[in-house]
Amino acid sequence: MEPRWCSRPHSLTLVRHGESMGNQADEAARAASSEELDLHERDADVELSDLGRDQASAVGRWLADAPEDWRPTLVVTSPYRRAADTARTALGDADVPIVADERLRERDLGAYDGLTGRGIRARHPEEAARRKKVGKFYYQPPSGESWADVALRVRSFLTDLGHGYEGERVWVFTHQAVIMSFRYVLEGLDEQRLLEIDREIQIPNASFTRFERSGDGFGLEAFADTRAVSKHSVVTEEESP
């Protein structure tokens, strides 16, 4: 059954933040087969890399020439620095309100923050076994969130968006797990299909995932779309977690 409460905006465009110093640290740790990332800031404070700032600017340049139907009338961002800075850079001097919403923050990895998969398996073998049994979608790291927890945040956000935003073109600057949770909720995906998509496609930095109003719900129009960053040759490729 389609969720009728999320039908009011004209469109919903989700933008993953530009490449961050955390993305770079993760790539370096994987390459070195390290157990942890060389990163000392709390997750909320991780900045964009130089490439990430270029990607955010590329989104802004693309948006300046975009069709009217794509241009936002409202922007909502994760309060985490890498997402909020992507939003502010992309919007520039545009006269569009930017609102921060904590429900759009990155998934909380709890005790695993800063660890690679190798580090988790080496330091928490009992939890690695529990994750395998419970499954990726429902598993909660110690003091952290499951994907199901993120989906609950997304449902709450969409419930609020369903009141008083008729016809708005809403842009959301956020994170990979949150974008996947929007797909899970808006398309009514089951656990298996969601994880299958996640295995097949890594959402690139500064890419678009777009839904347009369709009857009482939303229809997916674009997913992991790199049109803005591809135009300016600033696409990044990441390994799946």
Side-chain angles (χ1 to χ4, degrees):
M1 182 171 61
E2 292 184 337
R4 300 180 63 88
W5 37 259
C6 65
S7 63
R8 293 177 184 266
H10 170 270
S11 60
L12 181 62
T13 302
L14 311 171
V15 186
R16 188 183 176 205
H17 61 80
E19 183 191 68
S20 70
M21 298 305 293
N23 296 142
Q24 287 192 349
D26 182 69
E27 183 178 351
R30 288 171 183 262
S33 298
S34 176
E35 292 185 2
E36 59 184 321
L37 279 61
D38 184 16
L39 191 68
H40 307 290
E41 296 84 357
R42 65 173 186 155
D43 196 26
D45 297 329
V46 172
E47 298 183 52
L48 292 173
S49 65
D50 289 341
L51 177 58
R53 285 187 282 272
D54 288 344
Q55 290 172 333
S57 296
V59 172
R61 290 194 295 273
W62 181 88
L63 192 54
D65 297 322
E68 184 70 22
D69 193 52
W70 270 77
R71 296 182 185 180
T73 57
L74 172 66
V75 174
V76 191
T77 180
S78 157
Y80 280 24
R81 183 169 181 173
R82 56 193 180 274
D85 284 354
T86 301
R88 285 191 287 263
T89 299
L91 271 296
D93 297 327
D95 186 21
V96 180
I98 300 178
V99 180
D101 194 307
E102 293 78 8
R103 290 172 295 186
L104 301 174
R105 70 187 186 276
E106 178 63 289
R107 178 186 167 215
D108 187 349
L109 296 179
Y112 296 165
D113 187 32
L115 295 181
T116 62
R118 176 185 292 268
I120 293 169
R121 290 188 294 272
R123 302 180 188 188
H124 305 277
E126 72 293 342
E127 284 295 322
R130 189 167 74 87
R131 180 185 185 276
K132 184 176 181 180
K133 179 178 180 180
V134 173
K136 182 176 181 177
F137 184 75
Y138 289 109
Y139 173 72
Q140 280 183 318
S143 303
E145 292 181 295
S146 67
W147 277 44
D149 292 324
V150 178
L152 290 174
R153 291 201 255 119
V154 167
R155 290 187 190 279
S156 172
F157 175 80
L158 287 169
T159 297
D160 287 352
L161 200 61
H163 301 282
Y165 296 95
E166 180 74 33
E168 297 277 10
R169 300 187 297 273
V170 182
W171 277 45
V172 170
F173 288 78
T174 187
H175 311 266
Q176 176 166 323
V178 181
I179 292 171
M180 291 301 299
S181 295
F182 271 96
R183 287 206 60 179
Y184 174 76
V185 173
L186 290 175
E187 298 175 59
L189 301 178
D190 60 22
E191 174 189 0
Q192 288 72 28
R193 180 55 182 149
L194 176 72
L195 297 180
E196 181 180 78
I197 295 169
D198 184 62
R199 285 192 300 271
E200 293 173 350
I201 301 176
Q202 177 73 15
I203 301 175
N205 293 112
S207 64
F208 303 146
T209 295
R210 179 176 170 85
F211 292 87
E212 289 189 359
R213 184 171 175 173
S214 176
D216 289 326
F218 278 124
L220 182 68
E221 297 295 323
F223 176 53
D225 187 321
T226 59
R227 68 182 68 190
V229 288
S230 294
K231 183 176 181 180
H232 298 281
S233 302
V234 286
V235 179
T236 48
E237 297 290 343
E238 297 175 83
E239 293 183 29
S240 297

